[in-house]
Amino acid sequence: MVSGGYEEAGFRYGWRGSHYPGEPVEDLWLAVDRDPDDGWCFDAYFLGRTALPGGAPLAAAFARWLLAAAPEGRYEEEFLLLDGEPQSGSRRLADGALLTVEVLLGREEGGGPEYLQVLLSGEVGGRAFEVCAPLECRRVDRAELEAAANRLLGDAERPPDRA
């Protein structure tokens, strides 16, 4: 697991993996963090930073969802970070693209490792799209995930900086 380097605030969770089957292993990640202008953003391996319009309340809800105790057996739960939100200023998404980001946490078998997936979909120019190779962490390090979620919760509950 690679979560390193971001200890001061926000949620950053990383791992080593291959985004596409058969491709080289790389550092993959997802992040939810405060922007320098005190807005909030979502970032993922190939997407780049994009606005998180739900702001601190959504960031706090995401952190609490991550901190909830996982069921013992098989499970899969989802959290909707973005739901058809218009995008602008992204290097990777066309202006006006509607982006949906779902985060899944689950376990395929009782006693097995937890996994994490980030599913991206949306609409551009009236045409739907889906990223068919989701970001996937096959073995969640629960302690690192919870540490990152606790940092996010603390940051989301902290009042914004005022210059």
Side-chain angles (χ1 to χ4, degrees), residues 12 29-33 41-50:
R12 298 183 189 285
W29 73 88
L30 73 132
V32 173
D33 205 354
C41 65
F42 167 76
D43 187 8
Y45 164 67
F46 59 87
L47 185 65
R49 292 173 77 89
T50 187

Side-chain angles (χ1 to χ4, degrees), residues 69-90:
E72 290 296 318
R74 257 183 94 155
Y75 82 99
E76 184 172 88
E77 296 176 2
E78 82 175 49
F79 189 92
L80 198 58
L81 266 175
L82 294 171
D83 188 10
E85 294 292 336
Q87 301 297 301
S88 65
S90 170

Side-chain angles (χ1 to χ4, degrees), residues 38 160-163:
D38 280 325
D161 295 333
R162 299 287 179 217

Side-chain angles (χ1 to χ4, degrees), residues 5-71:
Y6 302 99
E7 298 303 319
E8 58 279 347
F11 173 83
R12 298 183 189 285
Y13 188 72
W15 62 94
R16 300 274 302 153
S18 179
H19 184 63
Y20 297 102
E23 292 293 314
V25 171
E26 302 176 85
D27 289 337
L28 306 178
W29 73 88
L30 73 132
V32 173
D33 205 354
R34 205 182 285 252
D35 271 334
D37 65 357
D38 280 325
W40 285 82
C41 65
F42 167 76
D43 187 8
Y45 164 67
F46 59 87
L47 185 65
R49 292 173 77 89
T50 187
L52 189 66
L58 181 63
F62 179 57
R64 287 185 192 100
W65 177 78
L66 290 166
L67 289 166

